[in-house]
Amino acid sequence: MLANSLFLAARTPRSQAYAQALAAAGLTPGRVLICGAAAEEQAAAVPLARPVGAIDLALPDLDVPLEATCQAAGWAAETIAARDVNSDEVLQRLAAWRPSCVIYSGFGAQIVGPSVLGLDIPFLHAHSGWLPGYRGSTTVYYGMLQEHECAASVLVLGRGIDEGPVLARRRYALPPAGLDVDLLYDPAIRADLMCHVLAEIRSSGRLPAALATEDETAETYFVIHPVLKHLALLTLPDADDPAGAG
């Protein structure tokens, strides 16, 4: 199934993380479509760019452009200027290619619309929160505040926000203080769980069975207030004290 998959990427740290994680795991998508102008992708120098303390997690190298990762892995990548997953350019390619599944890593805050979902192509999305309990935006920070841990979930996108069959979930240790959560940690946990799901797809030739989540409470969160985000970051353990105080 993976041989006929499409990696639908945007010029974001998340897509860089996905590409690097897929390449490192030897997971080769059938096609790669990169959305957005090349000028949008910028190298970012951030602190603590390696696994630190208790984190056993590969972090992306944001100095490596998407095309460079694709080229090194031997993937044929097509680029388009369109930034919207719902654009005619994307829709036409999806209709023509008919991939078995889409490894989706679009621009943040975009919602995959009914015209795309109506093609009945499974869109695999990794969300940085434990579904269905943490739907919505910036849930990685709400998890830090309320659970003192982080999580990721991979689902097949439905028509509601972070709704659809949940294929996998995993809890992750908190990142150490000083690690850029938005640019490094959040993309890394999403990429890590996505690779586990894709490895299962490659092995079995089909999507994993959906987890039973019907009896769990579903909550939807909105973009976190800067003060709450700051408080969440204050809960993170020091790099030399990975267990933290809490």
Side-chain angles (χ1 to χ4, degrees), residues 92-109:
Q92 290 166 5
R93 285 165 175 79
L94 288 171
W97 294 341
R98 301 300 305 184
S100 56
C101 67
V102 173
I103 305 159
Y104 180 59
S105 177
F107 286 100

Side-chain angles (χ1 to χ4, degrees), residues 125-195:
H125 171 58
H127 169 73
S128 56
W130 187 268
L131 291 177
Y134 285 85
R135 291 174 175 163
S137 179
T138 54
T139 47
V140 66
Y141 293 105
Y142 291 106
M144 291 177 189
L145 283 171
Q146 297 177 169
E147 309 288 344
H148 203 61
E149 66 181 7
C150 300
S153 305
V154 170
L155 70 154
V156 177
L157 287 179
R159 294 183 183 267
I161 295 176
D162 296 325
E163 295 182 6
V166 178
L167 305 183
R169 301 182 291 191
R170 177 169 291 188
R171 301 189 188 275
Y172 291 87
L174 289 172
L179 181 65
D180 193 302
V181 173
D182 297 315
L183 294 180
L184 292 176
Y185 178 80
D186 181 291
I189 62 174
R190 297 187 197 224
D192 179 73
L193 187 58
M194 179 65 79
C195 282

